[in-house]
Amino acid sequence: MNTLSIITFLPVVAAILILILPSAYQQRYKHIALSVTVIQLVISIYIYLNFKSSGADAGISIEKQFQFVEKLTWIRLDMGTLGKLEIDYFLGIDGISMPFLVLTSLVMFVATLSAWEIKTNLKGFFALFLILNMAIMGVFCALDFFLFYVFYELMLLPLYFLIGMWGGVRREYAAIKFFLYTLFGSVFMLLVIIGLYFSVINPETGNHTFNMISMMNPANYVGGSIFSSLANSQIFGISARLLAFIVLFIAFAIKVPIVPLHTWLPDAHVEAPTPVSIILAGILLKVGGYGILRICYSIFPDAGISVSWWIGLIGVISIIYGALNALAQSDLKRLIAYSSVSHMGFVLLGIASGTVEGTTGAMLQMISHGFLSAMLFFLVGMLYNRVHDRDITNFRGLALIMPKYTAFVMIAFFASLGLPGFSAFIAEAFSLIGAFTSESTNGLIPRWMAIGGSIGILLSAAYFLWTLQRMFFGQTRLMGGEDWKTKLTDVNGREAFALVSLTVMALLLGILPSLTIDKMNSSVLALVNLIAG
């Protein structure tokens, strides 16, 4: 059974169906999209339950961690003296990519529920929405670098149109800025991919290959090739492997995003419609972190070690800078966008530590932030859809007229600031433990970086609690007066279902983190051992 192909390409079948159906059936488009995301969620749960925690009895060898593998010959081209061009349709998942399939399925389901508020050009919206769904799934499943790049680039097009056509007043500016930022990193990534192709040999066929698993094994590199660790090649006076790591890191760091490459994020979030904001924060940012782990550190572990101090520093700066910016915002959506910059800084800090605890914390932070940021943007979208305003100072005492909504906001805020019992607490604790122990175990990053990360947690409590106090407590006072009181209805059944789903996940991963850790532990150990080796 080609499980990964089904979960990846099912949205394309639905998108074609939507394009074929006449506009008279446009109210059915959202039901088709919702049905697809439900099926994907069921398949992802099946994958989770059938994923072998031991890594298929492979010990901690990174090459043998992958399960649900599908491999077909895709492109073969005779290149004369250069051999045969070898590109495969190669899918597979390990303990690092599997949790992101479950995360993507649930976030896309919630985003589809939030898309009920879209009223214009439903055919175009849901067709692009489903193509984006396919591209994201493909990124987490692809094990051929060429195929990965195709999916990675394919994400840009639907996002550009979804922001540019269904966004806010400055939607064109936000869409173009997002597109140019991400394309900038992708163009240079392609050069590295080509260099890797001519540096790596498939041991089975003797041809050059885009196989990412082969790229993780130093024994598969041609001795005199540019990226061989034995050749010690240099470009512009810099080690070729280090330069390749930096280029790939920048490409993925733009999506994380790190400071100072983060400026596209607040604009894109503010202007994007709610479903797209949910996808941006819940999944797209995780593509960046996943790429750093799967590609940067897995293929160039030696280069990763040499720049770990700088990556840790960037993580700490992102944590504090993002939190301070969130504290200064009056637009609720922009506040949450900057909080994402801050929380994703813990991912870099955990990865930079080079420890099992830190890498596990980075993975948990990406998964936890995926659920919680989706919940936060869903809540903001609910408020905006009712009164078309997000300014914090225009609301006061919402708890008296929207008690259920206030309860969900409190859960999302307290979970995001790292309250024990929720997933973010476990994730940030592991990241900080890894950062704190790194100095004594491998000497990659100093302990003061862990202290810097802790300051970010304190600042996140400040901006979330201050926002909660200003908007929800006290005597009700609304800028729109009685008209707003009429429009600010409490949570309905559809909204409650989506919010409860995300709340349950945040609680489950906070109380029983072993549900995730047990599945990914073997792959994390394999990656850390690869870096240490």
Side-chain angles (χ1 to χ4, degrees):
M1 182 178 177
N2 298 326
T3 310
L4 297 184
S5 291
I6 294 171
I7 199 173
T8 301
F9 292 105
L10 183 63
V12 177
V13 177
I16 293 171
L17 178 61
I18 286 173
L19 291 172
I20 292 173
L21 284 175
S23 297
Y25 294 93
Q26 63 177 342
Q27 293 306 316
R28 297 284 181 265
Y29 298 158
K30 56 190 177 184
H31 295 107
I32 294 171
L34 184 63
S35 300
V36 167
T37 56
V38 169
I39 294 170
Q40 284 182 309
L41 188 57
V42 171
I43 295 173
S44 69
I45 294 171
Y46 167 82
I47 291 171
Y48 171 85
L49 294 174
N50 288 274
F51 187 87
K52 297 178 182 178
S53 303
S54 62
D57 301 321
I60 54 175
S61 169
I62 199 166
E63 294 91 346
K64 298 179 181 178
Q65 291 288 321
F66 295 93
Q67 302 172 43
F68 295 92
V69 173
E70 301 172 26
K71 191 173 184 180
L72 296 170
T73 298
W74 184 19
I75 299 174
R76 291 292 185 272
L77 178 66
D78 193 340
M79 300 172 64
T81 57
L82 295 177
K84 284 187 177 180
L85 179 65
E86 184 177 289
I87 303 176
D88 295 319
Y89 174 77
F90 188 16
L91 304 181
I93 55 171
D94 65 349
I96 292 175
S97 52
M98 185 275 294
F100 290 112
L101 289 188
V102 181
L103 171 68
T104 301
S105 300
L106 182 56
V107 171
M108 293 303 296
F109 170 71
V110 172
T112 309
L113 288 176
S114 72
W116 246 244
E117 306 297 336
I118 301 296
K119 304 298 182 185
T120 60
N121 194 0
L122 298 183
K123 184 188 287 280
F125 180 87
F126 283 106
L128 289 168
F129 181 90
L130 289 166
I131 292 171
L132 175 62
N133 185 338
M134 178 271 292
I136 294 171
M137 285 291 185
V139 163
F140 291 128
C141 294
L143 291 178
D144 183 278
F145 214 157
F146 185 88
L147 183 63
F148 174 92
Y149 188 77
V150 169
F151 284 126
Y152 189 82
E153 288 295 277
L154 194 56
M155 290 190 300
L156 296 183
L157 194 64
L159 274 170
Y160 171 76
F161 286 111
L162 287 168
I163 296 172
M165 294 178 67
W166 287 271
V169 178
R170 301 173 70 242
R171 55 185 178 272
E172 292 90 353
Y173 167 77
I176 291 171
K177 189 174 184 179
F178 160 76
F179 192 89
L180 291 178
Y181 260 78
T182 50
L183 186 64
F184 170 78
S186 302
V187 168
F188 294 103
M189 183 199 296
L190 184 59
L191 296 176
V192 176
I193 294 174
I194 294 169
L196 280 167
Y197 171 78
F198 286 109
S199 298
V200 179
I201 293 291
N202 185 336
E204 297 176 2
T205 64
N207 296 321
H208 292 291
T209 181
F210 287 102
N211 187 315
M212 288 162 61
I213 299 177
S214 295
M215 293 175 182
M216 297 173 192
N217 189 344
N220 295 328
Y221 282 74
V222 179
S225 63
I226 189 170
F227 291 135
S228 170
S229 57
L230 300 176
N232 197 25
S233 302
Q234 292 193 341
I235 302 175
F236 305 122
I238 304 173
S239 164
R241 289 179 63 83
L242 176 59
L243 187 61
F245 179 94
I246 293 171
V247 168
L248 291 172
F249 178 80
I250 290 173
F252 293 122
I254 289 170
K255 277 197 167 59
V256 169
I258 65 166
V259 177
L261 303 175
H262 68 289
T263 57
W264 66 267
L265 182 69
D267 292 320
H269 271 311
V270 168
E271 301 304 328
T274 301
V276 179
S277 287
I278 290 171
I279 295 168
L280 278 172
I283 309 172
L284 195 73
L285 274 59
K286 315 309 172 290
V287 170
Y290 171 77
I292 291 171
L293 283 172
R294 166 66 69 235
I295 295 173
C296 294
Y297 272 88
S298 296
I299 297 177
F300 301 105
D302 51 331
I305 286 178
S306 66
V307 295
S308 284
W309 191 92
W310 293 103
I311 293 175
L313 179 64
I314 292 169
V316 173
I317 291 172
S318 295
I319 291 169
I320 297 175
Y321 178 85
L324 289 173
N325 270 275
L327 199 57
Q329 301 305 313
S330 60
D331 185 307
L332 184 58
K333 205 173 187 183
R334 191 174 284 270
L335 180 149
I336 296 170
Y338 275 111
S339 77
S340 294
V341 175
S342 179
H343 287 127
M344 289 300 289
F346 285 98
V347 175
L348 289 184
L349 187 62
I351 293 173
S353 72
T355 62
V356 175
E357 304 94 326
T359 307
T360 301
M363 282 289 300
L364 290 173
Q365 178 70 349
M366 285 191 279
I367 297 162
S368 168
H369 183 262
F371 296 130
L372 294 175
S373 61
M375 187 175 181
L376 287 166
F377 280 109
F378 191 96
L379 288 163
V380 175
M382 288 169 58
L383 194 66
Y384 187 77
N385 286 331
R386 284 159 169 76
V387 294
H388 299 289
D389 197 296
R390 295 185 303 259
D391 197 305
I392 294 170
T393 58
N394 291 342
F395 299 88
R396 180 80 174 175
L398 285 178
L400 296 176
I401 58 175
M402 303 175 73
K404 294 178 184 177
Y405 179 82
T406 303
F408 280 116
V409 169
M410 290 178 67
I411 291 170
F413 279 12
F414 282 112
S416 296
L417 62 84
L419 188 73
F422 289 98
S423 53
F425 170 75
I426 301 293
E428 291 172 359
F430 271 55
S431 296
L432 293 176
I433 290 170
F436 193 80
T437 58
S438 177
E439 186 174 43
S440 57
T441 56
N442 54 33
L444 293 182
I445 59 174
R447 288 195 176 100
W448 64 261
M449 289 187 181
I451 298 171
S454 302
I455 295 172
I457 297 177
L458 181 64
L459 290 172
S460 69
Y463 60 73
F464 277 130
L465 293 178
W466 192 33
T467 302
L468 195 65
Q469 180 186 14
R470 286 183 290 170
M471 291 186 67
F472 295 92
F473 300 139
Q475 189 64 36
T476 303
R477 188 183 73 249
L478 305 172
M479 182 62 68
E482 291 300 320
D483 182 47
W484 276 20
K485 275 192 178 181
T486 305
K487 292 179 178 178
L488 286 170
T489 55
D490 214 343
V491 180
N492 61 36
R494 171 181 57 84
E495 294 164 341
F497 186 76
L499 292 170
V500 168
S501 301
L502 295 169
T503 301
V504 167
M505 290 305 302
L507 279 169
L508 268 179
L509 296 182
I511 298 170
L512 296 171
S514 58
L515 291 173
T516 304
I517 292 174
D518 288 351
K519 296 289 185 180
M520 68 186 187
N521 186 238
S522 180
S523 295
V524 169
L525 277 171
L527 177 60
V528 171
N529 280 358
L530 179 70
I531 295 170

